Amino acid sequence: MIDIVLAIGLVISTVIGMECIAWTVHKYLMHGPLWFIHKTHHQARKGLFELNDIFGIFFAIIAIGCFVQGITTDNSLMISIGVGITLYGFLYFFAHDIIVHQRVKMFAKSTNSYILALKKAHRIHHKTLTKKNAEEFGFLFVKKEYIQRSK
Ligand SMILES: [Zn+2]
Ligand SMILES: [Zn+2]
């Protein structure tokens, strides 16, 4: 029983930790030395994919690595971290790519205040077409003020 509680706790902590990592990577690497990749996301997309999608693939490889390591060494904690990274990947794709960028046309007319706040904050991020002076680097986390203004 304690193992299940620990596993769920670790999955949730990993999801929260991944948002913190994503925020940091977005602010300091993607809008820093890795701008040459991330800039493809701040320009109009030609076609289905953009070079920036490589970041998703990178984190997917890390998750697969956790699963492989966890399964081969019978390490359930590592598997929980893998589940957390994978879950974050789905949430990130859902929030950022579907809800905000409408890569799949869904929830476009939602009036849910979290969804509206997420869109508002990320649109502010996309106002900047350059590496510098961007704001709002979160993907799932939204400041309270955006949620209040969306109500
Ligand atoms: Zn950006
Ligand atoms: Zn975006």
Side-chain angles (χ1 to χ4, degrees), residues 21-35:
I21 291 170
W23 186 92
T24 310
V25 167
H26 190 193
K27 187 173 166 95
Y28 296 104
L29 292 176
M30 293 159 95
H31 282 262
L34 299 180
W35 173 249

PDB file of all heavy atoms in Angstrom, residues 21-35:
ATOM      1  N   ILE A  21      11.176  22.417 -14.732  1.00  0.00           N
ATOM      2  CA  ILE A  21      12.289  22.209 -15.674  1.00  0.00           C
ATOM      3  C   ILE A  21      11.943  22.851 -17.022  1.00  0.00           C
ATOM      4  O   ILE A  21      12.761  23.556 -17.611  1.00  0.00           O
ATOM      5  CB  ILE A  21      12.596  20.693 -15.832  1.00  0.00           C
ATOM      6  CG1 ILE A  21      13.195  20.137 -14.524  1.00  0.00           C
ATOM      7  CG2 ILE A  21      13.540  20.436 -17.008  1.00  0.00           C
ATOM      8  CD1 ILE A  21      13.316  18.616 -14.466  1.00  0.00           C
ATOM      9  N   ALA A  22      10.700  22.630 -17.485  1.00  0.00           N
ATOM     10  CA  ALA A  22      10.285  23.181 -18.780  1.00  0.00           C
ATOM     11  C   ALA A  22      10.348  24.712 -18.765  1.00  0.00           C
ATOM     12  O   ALA A  22      10.801  25.336 -19.722  1.00  0.00           O
ATOM     13  CB  ALA A  22       8.875  22.704 -19.127  1.00  0.00           C
ATOM     14  N   TRP A  23       9.898  25.291 -17.650  1.00  0.00           N
ATOM     15  CA  TRP A  23       9.925  26.757 -17.504  1.00  0.00           C
ATOM     16  C   TRP A  23      11.364  27.259 -17.617  1.00  0.00           C
ATOM     17  O   TRP A  23      11.658  28.208 -18.348  1.00  0.00           O
ATOM     18  CB  TRP A  23       9.327  27.154 -16.151  1.00  0.00           C
ATOM     19  CG  TRP A  23       9.179  28.631 -15.938  1.00  0.00           C
ATOM     20  CD1 TRP A  23       8.077  29.386 -16.224  1.00  0.00           C
ATOM     21  CD2 TRP A  23      10.154  29.538 -15.381  1.00  0.00           C
ATOM     22  NE1 TRP A  23       8.306  30.704 -15.877  1.00  0.00           N
ATOM     23  CE2 TRP A  23       9.566  30.821 -15.373  1.00  0.00           C
ATOM     24  CE3 TRP A  23      11.462  29.379 -14.914  1.00  0.00           C
ATOM     25  CZ2 TRP A  23      10.252  31.953 -14.905  1.00  0.00           C
ATOM     26  CZ3 TRP A  23      12.148  30.495 -14.444  1.00  0.00           C
ATOM     27  CH2 TRP A  23      11.538  31.771 -14.438  1.00  0.00           C
ATOM     28  N   THR A  24      12.286  26.600 -16.871  1.00  0.00           N
ATOM     29  CA  THR A  24      13.698  27.000 -16.844  1.00  0.00           C
ATOM     30  C   THR A  24      14.349  26.813 -18.217  1.00  0.00           C
ATOM     31  O   THR A  24      15.046  27.708 -18.702  1.00  0.00           O
ATOM     32  CB  THR A  24      14.455  26.175 -15.775  1.00  0.00           C
ATOM     33  OG1 THR A  24      13.711  26.231 -14.556  1.00  0.00           O
ATOM     34  CG2 THR A  24      15.849  26.707 -15.535  1.00  0.00           C
ATOM     35  N   VAL A  25      14.082  25.644 -18.835  1.00  0.00           N
ATOM     36  CA  VAL A  25      14.650  25.368 -20.163  1.00  0.00           C
ATOM     37  C   VAL A  25      14.105  26.391 -21.174  1.00  0.00           C
ATOM     38  O   VAL A  25      14.853  26.929 -21.995  1.00  0.00           O
ATOM     39  CB  VAL A  25      14.320  23.908 -20.602  1.00  0.00           C
ATOM     40  CG1 VAL A  25      14.608  23.696 -22.081  1.00  0.00           C
ATOM     41  CG2 VAL A  25      15.101  22.903 -19.762  1.00  0.00           C
ATOM     42  N   HIS A  26      12.811  26.694 -21.086  1.00  0.00           N
ATOM     43  CA  HIS A  26      12.190  27.637 -22.010  1.00  0.00           C
ATOM     44  C   HIS A  26      12.811  29.037 -21.864  1.00  0.00           C
ATOM     45  O   HIS A  26      13.176  29.677 -22.843  1.00  0.00           O
ATOM     46  CB  HIS A  26      10.680  27.674 -21.747  1.00  0.00           C
ATOM     47  CG  HIS A  26       9.894  28.432 -22.779  1.00  0.00           C
ATOM     48  ND1 HIS A  26       8.588  28.785 -22.583  1.00  0.00           N
ATOM     49  CD2 HIS A  26      10.230  28.913 -24.008  1.00  0.00           C
ATOM     50  CE1 HIS A  26       8.158  29.444 -23.661  1.00  0.00           C
ATOM     51  NE2 HIS A  26       9.134  29.528 -24.523  1.00  0.00           N
ATOM     52  N   LYS A  27      12.954  29.476 -20.603  1.00  0.00           N
ATOM     53  CA  LYS A  27      13.461  30.835 -20.369  1.00  0.00           C
ATOM     54  C   LYS A  27      14.964  30.976 -20.670  1.00  0.00           C
ATOM     55  O   LYS A  27      15.367  31.923 -21.344  1.00  0.00           O
ATOM     56  CB  LYS A  27      13.184  31.226 -18.908  1.00  0.00           C
ATOM     57  CG  LYS A  27      13.510  32.688 -18.603  1.00  0.00           C
ATOM     58  CD  LYS A  27      13.046  33.056 -17.200  1.00  0.00           C
ATOM     59  CE  LYS A  27      13.642  34.354 -16.729  1.00  0.00           C
ATOM     60  NZ  LYS A  27      12.794  35.512 -16.957  1.00  0.00           N
ATOM     61  N   TYR A  28      15.744  30.016 -20.195  1.00  0.00           N
ATOM     62  CA  TYR A  28      17.197  30.197 -20.267  1.00  0.00           C
ATOM     63  C   TYR A  28      17.889  29.476 -21.420  1.00  0.00           C
ATOM     64  O   TYR A  28      18.969  29.874 -21.819  1.00  0.00           O
ATOM     65  CB  TYR A  28      17.839  29.793 -18.937  1.00  0.00           C
ATOM     66  CG  TYR A  28      17.383  30.694 -17.808  1.00  0.00           C
ATOM     67  CD1 TYR A  28      16.454  30.260 -16.873  1.00  0.00           C
ATOM     68  CD2 TYR A  28      17.866  32.011 -17.715  1.00  0.00           C
ATOM     69  CE1 TYR A  28      16.008  31.093 -15.859  1.00  0.00           C
ATOM     70  CE2 TYR A  28      17.429  32.850 -16.706  1.00  0.00           C
ATOM     71  CZ  TYR A  28      16.495  32.392 -15.781  1.00  0.00           C
ATOM     72  OH  TYR A  28      16.056  33.230 -14.793  1.00  0.00           O
ATOM     73  N   LEU A  29      17.303  28.410 -21.949  1.00  0.00           N
ATOM     74  CA  LEU A  29      17.949  27.710 -23.063  1.00  0.00           C
ATOM     75  C   LEU A  29      17.237  27.987 -24.390  1.00  0.00           C
ATOM     76  O   LEU A  29      17.857  28.369 -25.363  1.00  0.00           O
ATOM     77  CB  LEU A  29      18.001  26.196 -22.798  1.00  0.00           C
ATOM     78  CG  LEU A  29      18.923  25.752 -21.654  1.00  0.00           C
ATOM     79  CD1 LEU A  29      18.826  24.251 -21.425  1.00  0.00           C
ATOM     80  CD2 LEU A  29      20.378  26.133 -21.934  1.00  0.00           C
ATOM     81  N   MET A  30      15.905  27.820 -24.393  1.00  0.00           N
ATOM     82  CA  MET A  30      15.177  28.022 -25.646  1.00  0.00           C
ATOM     83  C   MET A  30      15.206  29.498 -26.057  1.00  0.00           C
ATOM     84  O   MET A  30      15.309  29.810 -27.240  1.00  0.00           O
ATOM     85  CB  MET A  30      13.739  27.505 -25.505  1.00  0.00           C
ATOM     86  CG  MET A  30      13.689  25.989 -25.348  1.00  0.00           C
ATOM     87  SD  MET A  30      12.165  25.408 -24.591  1.00  0.00           S
ATOM     88  CE  MET A  30      11.189  25.011 -26.014  1.00  0.00           C
ATOM     89  N   HIS A  31      15.109  30.382 -25.070  1.00  0.00           N
ATOM     90  CA  HIS A  31      15.264  31.814 -25.371  1.00  0.00           C
ATOM     91  C   HIS A  31      16.700  32.240 -25.095  1.00  0.00           C
ATOM     92  O   HIS A  31      16.969  33.385 -24.752  1.00  0.00           O
ATOM     93  CB  HIS A  31      14.245  32.645 -24.577  1.00  0.00           C
ATOM     94  CG  HIS A  31      12.894  32.585 -25.198  1.00  0.00           C
ATOM     95  ND1 HIS A  31      12.392  33.554 -26.027  1.00  0.00           N
ATOM     96  CD2 HIS A  31      11.943  31.604 -25.153  1.00  0.00           C
ATOM     97  CE1 HIS A  31      11.196  33.184 -26.462  1.00  0.00           C
ATOM     98  NE2 HIS A  31      10.897  32.010 -25.944  1.00  0.00           N
ATOM     99  N   GLY A  32      17.611  31.307 -25.202  1.00  0.00           N
ATOM    100  CA  GLY A  32      19.040  31.549 -25.019  1.00  0.00           C
ATOM    101  C   GLY A  32      19.782  30.842 -26.136  1.00  0.00           C
ATOM    102  O   GLY A  32      19.425  31.002 -27.303  1.00  0.00           O
ATOM    103  N   PRO A  33      20.767  29.994 -25.790  1.00  0.00           N
ATOM    104  CA  PRO A  33      21.577  29.345 -26.840  1.00  0.00           C
ATOM    105  C   PRO A  33      20.802  28.432 -27.791  1.00  0.00           C
ATOM    106  O   PRO A  33      21.277  28.167 -28.898  1.00  0.00           O
ATOM    107  CB  PRO A  33      22.621  28.551 -26.052  1.00  0.00           C
ATOM    108  CG  PRO A  33      22.192  28.560 -24.621  1.00  0.00           C
ATOM    109  CD  PRO A  33      21.280  29.719 -24.426  1.00  0.00           C
ATOM    110  N   LEU A  34      19.632  27.946 -27.373  1.00  0.00           N
ATOM    111  CA  LEU A  34      18.871  27.053 -28.262  1.00  0.00           C
ATOM    112  C   LEU A  34      17.774  27.785 -29.036  1.00  0.00           C
ATOM    113  O   LEU A  34      16.876  27.163 -29.603  1.00  0.00           O
ATOM    114  CB  LEU A  34      18.269  25.883 -27.458  1.00  0.00           C
ATOM    115  CG  LEU A  34      19.293  24.982 -26.756  1.00  0.00           C
ATOM    116  CD1 LEU A  34      18.595  23.867 -25.996  1.00  0.00           C
ATOM    117  CD2 LEU A  34      20.290  24.385 -27.746  1.00  0.00           C
ATOM    118  N   TRP A  35      17.874  29.109 -29.074  1.00  0.00           N
ATOM    119  CA  TRP A  35      16.882  29.926 -29.804  1.00  0.00           C
ATOM    120  C   TRP A  35      16.773  29.513 -31.272  1.00  0.00           C
ATOM    121  O   TRP A  35      15.695  29.533 -31.861  1.00  0.00           O
ATOM    122  CB  TRP A  35      17.218  31.404 -29.665  1.00  0.00           C
ATOM    123  CG  TRP A  35      16.366  32.289 -30.517  1.00  0.00           C
ATOM    124  CD1 TRP A  35      16.757  33.012 -31.603  1.00  0.00           C
ATOM    125  CD2 TRP A  35      14.948  32.545 -30.362  1.00  0.00           C
ATOM    126  NE1 TRP A  35      15.689  33.686 -32.140  1.00  0.00           N
ATOM    127  CE2 TRP A  35      14.571  33.424 -31.396  1.00  0.00           C
ATOM    128  CE3 TRP A  35      13.981  32.116 -29.457  1.00  0.00           C
ATOM    129  CZ2 TRP A  35      13.267  33.877 -31.544  1.00  0.00           C
ATOM    130  CZ3 TRP A  35      12.663  32.569 -29.614  1.00  0.00           C
ATOM    131  CH2 TRP A  35      12.330  33.433 -30.641  1.00  0.00           C
TER     132      TRP A  35
END
